[in-house]
Amino acid sequence: MDRQKALELVKEQLTDHRYIHTCGVMETAILLARRFGADEKKAEIAAIFHDYAKFRDKEEMKRMIESEALPKDLLEYNGELWHAPVGAILVEREVGIDDAEILNAIRYHTSGCEDMSTLDKVIYLADYIEPNRSFPGVEEVREMARESLDKAIIKALQNTVGFLMKKGQPIYPDTFKFYNQLVLEQRR
Amino acid sequence: MDRQKALELVKEQLTDHRYIHTCGVMETAILLARRFGADEKKAEIAAIFHDYAKFRDKEEMKRMIESEALPKDLLEYNGELWHAPVGAILVEREVGIDDAEILNAIRYHTSGCEDMSTLDKVIYLADYIEPNRSFPGVEEVREMARESLDKAIIKALQNTVGFLMKKGQPIYPDTFKFYNQLVLEQRR
């Protein structure tokens, strides 16, 4: 699918603010894919559609988690996680994208998980550091992303999990597993 | 076993500083047991022996984890975790304590785990707040411990996990599970 067509399709699903964010993720994902050796075209398409389900009705997403082959424990955790795995299903079904690598990158872009591919990691990190993002710690992660995909993601996870824990939020188990695996790999 | 005999046995295993800590944990554990409805005598004995293996040789502990029925993934994580499950085995074998509730409280006092008993939680929290402890956040946890065992532990875990993550340490999976379970239960 060409970029213009993909952007048109996703624009209908998003607020203006989220569309601008999506364009930032796209540009960043292409750069990171080039830097760390992922498929640039797949990075572009995964980035464009990563938030496809962001504004779907919460009840609709809940019903999908209950009825589709999705982890039921998502329902116990923050609803902000839902649009990623639900999005992977809807992008396949409504947009017709059936590339498993692209769909996985969409599926795991919020929670992370163990054994992420380079493409998955590129989308995860691009979502965190794209130029429109502005929150404490993002600049440090951008700096680290010049050198190391994994080290930048570890720092992003330290920030995100630390923030959620301070608020007393539960942490989705895949996110902990993602963090632990990256940290343990750095030690080997 | 009476208190004096237990204290004599553990004193041989500990530095003076750690023995003083142990006496603090004992006093605090008895108070918390009374407050939250655990067995005070078991709390006393579990507290006295909670750090029994603290100064065992790391290589000896490593060999025990490899050869005994202990989780092998402990070896991938911080060695500071090892003395708790190793201690539970040694307290049974060398001291002759065979009460499963006391041994569990020793086993889980550093990592925590899912489905902790009230006694387990009492020892976990007493270890964190005993009067000789002095680090950022401990006073807030002491305050919370007047009202709620679980809320105080959540705060302690927020501090501990936050501290370890800032240092880029991996977090033992049982610790995450412990945190998530307590937080999710608070929401119900």
Side-chain angles (χ1 to χ4, degrees):
Chain A
M1 185 177 297
D2 82 7
R3 178 191 293 197
Q4 219 40 55
K5 175 74 187 157
L7 285 172
E8 273 167 34
L9 283 171
V10 86
K11 200 170 193 304
E12 293 166 20
Q13 303 290 327
L14 303 177
T15 60
D16 288 353
H17 180 263
R18 187 56 50 170
Y19 179 73
I20 292 166
H21 160 71
T22 290
C23 293
V25 176
M26 179 188 75
E27 299 289 357
T28 306
I30 293 167
L31 286 172
L32 293 176
R34 194 172 305 154
R35 189 176 298 157
F36 297 112
D39 185 302
E40 290 178 41
K41 184 65 196 169
K42 291 189 184 192
E44 178 190 78
I45 297 297
I48 291 173
F49 289 107
H50 82 287
D51 271 348
Y52 183 82
K54 187 80 179 177
F55 299 100
R56 290 295 166 117
D57 181 72
K58 275 272 157 71
E59 284 306 313
E60 179 194 347
M61 292 202 274
K62 197 175 163 200
R63 280 194 302 275
M64 281 186 64
I65 293 167
E66 284 162 349
S67 63
E68 306 274 350
L70 289 173
K72 305 306 166 217
D73 66 349
L74 281 166
L75 298 171
E76 283 209 83
Y77 291 84
N78 199 317
E80 290 301 312
L81 294 167
W82 301 352
H83 74 283
V86 165
I89 289 178
L90 294 179
V91 166
E92 180 168 18
R93 209 164 280 172
E94 298 180 0
V95 185
I97 289 171
D98 60 0
D99 182 293
E101 294 176 43
I102 292 173
L103 296 176
N104 272 340
I106 296 169
R107 180 172 295 117
Y108 299 119
H109 86 266
T110 304
S111 65
C113 67
E114 277 186 313
D115 302 324
M116 299 253 281
S117 70
T118 303
L119 181 67
D120 296 340
K121 291 176 182 174
V122 159
I123 299 302
Y124 185 92
L125 186 59
D127 188 29
Y128 192 90
I129 64 170
E130 63 91 7
N132 304 292
R133 293 290 206 190
S134 157
F135 45 75
V138 68
E139 200 48 56
E140 189 182 1
V141 178
R142 285 188 185 117
E143 283 299 323
M144 296 175 87
R146 295 181 203 281
E147 303 283 339
S148 165
L149 185 60
D150 284 358
K151 285 184 187 166
I153 291 175
I154 288 171
K155 181 54 74 179
L157 282 164
Q158 288 172 324
N159 294 345
T160 303
V161 176
F163 176 76
L164 291 172
M165 285 191 77
K166 261 191 198 158
K167 292 204 300 175
Q169 298 273 334
I171 308 297
Y172 193 60
D174 277 354
T175 305
F176 278 145
K177 290 177 187 168
F178 184 30
Y179 169 79
N180 272 339
Q181 186 180 47
L182 292 178
V183 167
L184 291 169
E185 279 172 2
Q186 290 290 320
R187 297 180 158 196
R188 279 177 199 134
Chain B
M1 184 177 300
D2 82 5
R3 177 189 294 197
Q4 220 40 57
K5 174 74 187 157
L7 285 171
E8 274 166 34
L9 283 172
V10 86
K11 200 171 192 308
E12 294 166 18
Q13 303 288 330
L14 302 177
T15 60
D16 288 353
H17 180 262
R18 186 57 49 170
Y19 179 73
I20 292 166
H21 160 72
T22 290
C23 293
V25 176
M26 178 188 74
E27 299 289 356
T28 306
I30 293 167
L31 287 172
L32 292 176
R34 193 172 304 153
R35 188 175 298 157
F36 297 112
D39 184 303
E40 290 177 41
K41 184 65 196 169
K42 291 190 185 192
E44 178 190 79
I45 297 297
I48 290 173
F49 289 108
H50 82 286
D51 271 348
Y52 183 82
K54 186 82 179 175
F55 298 101
R56 290 296 167 115
D57 181 72
K58 276 272 157 73
E59 284 305 312
E60 180 194 347
M61 291 203 274
K62 197 175 162 199
R63 281 195 301 277
M64 281 185 64
I65 293 167
E66 284 161 351
S67 63
E68 306 273 350
L70 289 172
K72 306 305 167 219
D73 67 349
L74 281 166
L75 298 171
E76 283 208 84
Y77 291 84
N78 199 316
E80 291 302 312
L81 294 167
W82 301 352
H83 74 282
V86 164
I89 289 178
L90 293 178
V91 165
E92 179 167 20
R93 209 165 280 172
E94 298 179 1
V95 184
I97 290 170
D98 60 1
D99 183 293
E101 293 176 43
I102 292 173
L103 296 176
N104 272 340
I106 296 169
R107 180 172 296 116
Y108 299 119
H109 87 267
T110 304
S111 64
C113 67
E114 277 186 313
D115 302 324
M116 299 253 280
S117 69
T118 303
L119 181 67
D120 296 339
K121 290 177 183 174
V122 159
I123 300 302
Y124 185 92
L125 185 59
D127 188 28
Y128 192 90
I129 63 169
E130 64 89 7
N132 304 292
R133 293 291 206 191
S134 159
F135 44 76
V138 68
E139 201 47 56
E140 189 183 3
V141 178
R142 285 188 185 116
E143 285 297 323
M144 295 176 88
R146 295 181 203 281
E147 303 284 339
S148 165
L149 185 59
D150 285 357
K151 285 184 187 168
I153 291 176
I154 288 171
K155 181 55 76 179
L157 283 164
Q158 287 172 325
N159 294 345
T160 303
V161 175
F163 176 75
L164 291 172
M165 285 191 77
K166 261 190 198 160
K167 292 203 301 175
Q169 298 273 333
I171 307 299
Y172 192 60
D174 278 354
T175 306
F176 277 145
K177 290 177 187 169
F178 184 30
Y179 169 79
N180 272 338
Q181 186 180 45
L182 292 178
V183 168
L184 291 170
E185 280 172 3
Q186 290 290 320
R187 299 181 158 196
R188 280 178 197 133

